[in-house]
Amino acid sequence: MNDQHCSEYQVDHPRWEIYPVRSYRIDVDFGKVYGEAFKCLESMKPSSIFLAEGSAISVLNSRKVIGALF
């Protein structure tokens, strides 16, 4: 990614098993890790939390997205 475009990829994997989450804790300094624009996430409550059993993936079909707003 640069100031002019970013790339988009297709990710393929088998269907993942999803498990309910009984409790959670998010311990991330969003401003430090992702930049000050994301610091607001520290005071927000997630609208969805789940645990997925992952697997190997395949990354396919790269394409540039022109004029992305980042």
Side-chain angles (χ1 to χ4, degrees), residues 1-8 37-38 65-70:
M1 180 180 83
N2 64 32
D3 290 342
Q4 305 302 312
H5 73 272
C6 65
S7 297
E8 176 180 84
F38 292 91
V65 179
I66 308 299
L69 300 175
F70 292 99

Side-chain angles (χ1 to χ4, degrees), residues 2-41:
N2 64 32
D3 290 342
Q4 305 302 312
H5 73 272
C6 65
S7 297
E8 176 180 84
Y9 300 87
Q10 177 183 338
V11 178
D12 188 36
H13 58 78
R15 186 175 190 95
W16 291 347
E17 194 70 34
I18 304 292
Y19 304 99
V21 175
R22 293 189 180 108
S23 66
Y24 70 93
R25 185 181 85 185
I26 299 174
D27 186 14
V28 176
D29 183 336
F30 286 100
K32 185 176 181 182
V33 174
Y34 298 107
E36 286 302 309
F38 292 91
K39 190 162 184 65
C40 63
L41 294 175

